[in-house]
Amino acid sequence: MTMMKQTMRWYGPSDPVSLLDIRQAGCSGIVTALHHIGTGEIWTKEEILKRRAEVEAAGMVWEVIESLPVHEEIKMHSGNYKKYIEHYKESLRNIGKCGLKVVTYNFMPILDWMRTDIAYAMPDGSKALRFEQSAFIAFDIFLLKRPNAEKDYTDTEIAKAKAHFNKMSDEEKKTLYHNTLLGLPGRDDKFSEEEIRADLKTYENIDAAKLKEHLFYFLKEVVPVAEESGLKMAIHPDDPPYPILGLPRVVSTEKDATEIINAVPSSANGLCFCTGSYGVRSDNDLPGMVNRLGDHIHFLHLRNTRRDEEGNFYEADHLDGDTDMFAVMKEIVLLMKRTGVEIPMRPDHGHQMLDDLKKKTNPGYSAIGRLRGLAELRGLELGVVRSL
């Protein structure tokens, strides 16, 4: 019986969720990275093997990296981008020699995922991640004061954001600012106001077409090395899957994903299929995407979101959002049955709940919420498998 490989993300020794916590959840694998190594630096075999040994000592395997970050100069084609591409290739060679299989990465400019609320209160008392459009516009125009930000929004959107901003207390404004500029998960560094403004300015002349061109150049350079090293490259979609802060996004739709696959035809060039990120857009047909793009899906993030017509969304229960998780799971099971490949998956962005409400956790990555999500997905998969 071909089943998904059940994993969870782990942010290393400082993660409040331990390796044994994850093993007790029923996972056989860990998804992690060398978060202590700076972006653009080479991952050495010694550091990779050290992390692998930690995981194996806890009775699990490390086959999927999330993430091997792409340096900003590669995305912009500026400065030392050729040097950083060579560093990336060397890291891939070392990763392959250490027996890992999948390298997850993204091509989002400057920021990783973006939320305005990292403790959104659910009716049952648990806390979820949420993106509120009016709060985000208020941050962009009135807190960050990005030059010409008003041009990206309608008069109605700006008026609503202004009303939202005027009702906020100083503490609420501080919290909003913090939430939107959390930086990369797993790292302690945060963006300052001066840094984010300066970084945004560097992308003034880079639109979606230019960023996509830079992505394709990067892939043409690194995919052959990944293939030679026995690795699968898996690009994560944009989160949220549309432009923010004037920055282009190029991995948001099925069309984007197809263009990426076709840019460098190779078994090593593929996707991290995130049902949460793709699912925020109503024009993405997720079961159909799995059916049509399945041969190129090397890693699965399974989570659900609930959206509205204004562009707001929050992380719903894994089986209770706008994405029909049964239909998605059925396509995944059919895909694995056809190919014989057990695709690694992880439950993503669980709610903070029960005892975890009293603990410090990485936003979206508390233990119990992900355990609940994994249990639900595990049962759904088995039910689909048995029904076919």
Side-chain angles (χ1 to χ4, degrees):
M1 185 185 301
T2 305
M3 303 282 286
M4 295 183 297
K5 294 181 179 179
Q6 297 173 18
T7 73
M8 278 192 190
R9 194 172 191 179
W10 182 61
Y11 287 110
S14 62
D15 195 323
V17 180
S18 72
L19 287 171
L20 288 181
D21 290 338
I22 294 173
R23 184 177 178 186
Q24 289 168 25
C27 291
S28 60
I30 288 293
V31 174
T32 190
L34 303 182
H35 296 290
H36 59 289
I37 295 180
T39 300
E41 296 180 24
I42 296 171
W43 286 22
T44 64
K45 287 185 289 184
E46 290 75 17
E47 288 294 325
I48 298 166
L49 291 173
K50 179 181 177 183
R51 178 54 49 85
R52 195 182 79 174
E54 289 178 281
V55 173
E56 291 176 347
M60 294 173 289
V61 297
W62 180 30
E63 295 181 342
V64 180
I65 287 170
E66 187 178 356
S67 297
L68 182 59
V70 179
H71 198 278
E72 288 301 316
E73 291 184 10
I74 295 175
K75 300 172 190 174
M76 295 186 293
H77 262 216
S78 66
N80 294 315
Y81 75 95
K82 290 187 177 180
K83 180 189 78 171
Y84 289 124
I85 288 177
E86 292 305 313
H87 285 189
Y88 206 97
K89 291 177 183 178
E90 190 61 25
S91 292
L92 290 176
R93 293 186 185 101
N94 290 338
I95 290 165
K97 291 173 183 175
C98 293
L100 280 76
K101 296 181 179 179
V102 178
V103 176
T104 312
Y105 67 103
N106 73 66
F107 220 74
M108 289 181 267
I110 302 176
L111 298 167
D112 204 286
W113 55 267
M114 168 73 72
R115 299 291 185 273
T116 57
D117 190 347
I118 61 172
Y120 177 60
M122 299 294 288
D124 62 4
S126 63
K127 295 179 180 179
L129 303 177
R130 184 171 187 253
F131 181 91
E132 183 180 2
Q133 185 75 355
S134 62
F136 177 75
I137 297 172
F139 159 77
D140 193 8
I141 296 177
F142 306 117
L143 286 176
L144 183 62
K145 299 178 181 178
R146 177 171 63 91
N148 300 313
E150 295 86 352
K151 294 180 179 179
D152 292 342
Y153 310 109
T154 66
D155 291 342
T156 301
E157 287 175 326
I158 293 173
K160 187 170 183 178
K162 186 174 183 179
H164 182 102
F165 183 77
N166 289 337
K167 290 189 296 184
M168 296 176 70
S169 66
D170 289 343
E171 188 61 31
E172 287 172 333
K173 292 174 184 176
K174 182 179 178 181
T175 298
L176 174 63
Y177 198 96
H178 170 266
N179 290 346
T180 51
L181 296 182
L182 273 173
L184 295 175
R187 293 182 181 273
D188 292 329
D189 53 309
K190 304 294 185 288
F191 289 101
S192 70
E193 183 176 329
E194 295 74 19
E195 287 171 335
I196 190 65
R197 283 180 180 169
D199 287 346
L200 289 173
K201 190 172 180 60
T202 64
Y203 275 88
E204 281 183 343
N205 298 317
I206 300 177
D207 59 10
K210 183 64 69 174
L211 183 63
K212 191 168 288 189
E213 179 184 318
H214 297 170
L215 169 57
F216 294 169
Y217 179 94
F218 169 72
L219 290 174
K220 288 172 183 175
E221 289 288 319
V222 303
V223 167
V225 176
E227 189 170 349
E228 292 168 5
S229 303
L231 298 171
K232 306 289 188 184
M233 299 287 292
I235 191 167
H236 189 284
D238 305 320
D239 187 6
Y242 40 75
I244 58 172
L245 299 179
L247 296 168
R249 301 288 220 183
V250 295
V251 195
S252 299
T253 65
E254 181 174 356
K255 180 176 180 291
D256 292 333
T258 301
E259 289 178 352
I260 289 166
I261 291 166
N262 292 339
V264 185
S266 167
S267 60
N269 180 25
L271 310 172
C272 169
F273 192 78
C274 178
T275 57
S277 295
Y278 283 124
V280 167
R281 292 181 64 119
S282 61
D283 56 345
N284 280 333
D285 167 22
L286 270 63
M289 290 174 72
V290 175
N291 177 274
R292 291 182 288 273
L293 305 174
D295 288 344
H296 306 279
I297 294 174
H298 303 317
F299 183 31
L300 292 159
H301 286 183
L302 299 182
R303 62 183 173 92
N304 222 324
T305 55
R306 180 75 68 180
R307 60 181 181 267
D308 63 26
E309 66 282 353
E310 294 183 5
N312 309 314
F313 65 89
Y314 65 88
E315 308 281 354
D317 291 333
H318 285 72
L319 305 186
D320 184 31
D322 292 311
T323 294
D324 184 346
M325 196 61 75
F326 172 82
V328 171
M329 186 68 76
K330 183 176 180 180
E331 290 296 338
I332 293 169
V333 169
L334 289 171
L335 168 65
M336 293 190 299
K337 185 177 181 180
R338 175 174 61 80
T339 62
V341 176
E342 295 183 333
I343 304 174
M345 65 78 77
R346 67 174 179 85
D348 203 6
H349 293 187
H351 292 171
Q352 189 176 5
M353 58 195 303
L354 303 176
D355 288 352
D356 282 342
L357 288 167
K358 305 169 188 174
K359 301 175 184 176
K360 179 181 178 181
T361 63
N362 288 319
Y365 291 95
S366 57
I368 302 173
R370 287 186 294 162
L371 169 62
R372 174 182 173 179
L374 178 62
E376 292 174 344
L377 293 165
R378 179 187 292 138
L380 177 61
E381 182 187 19
L382 183 59
V384 171
V385 168
R386 293 281 180 87
S387 71
L388 294 176

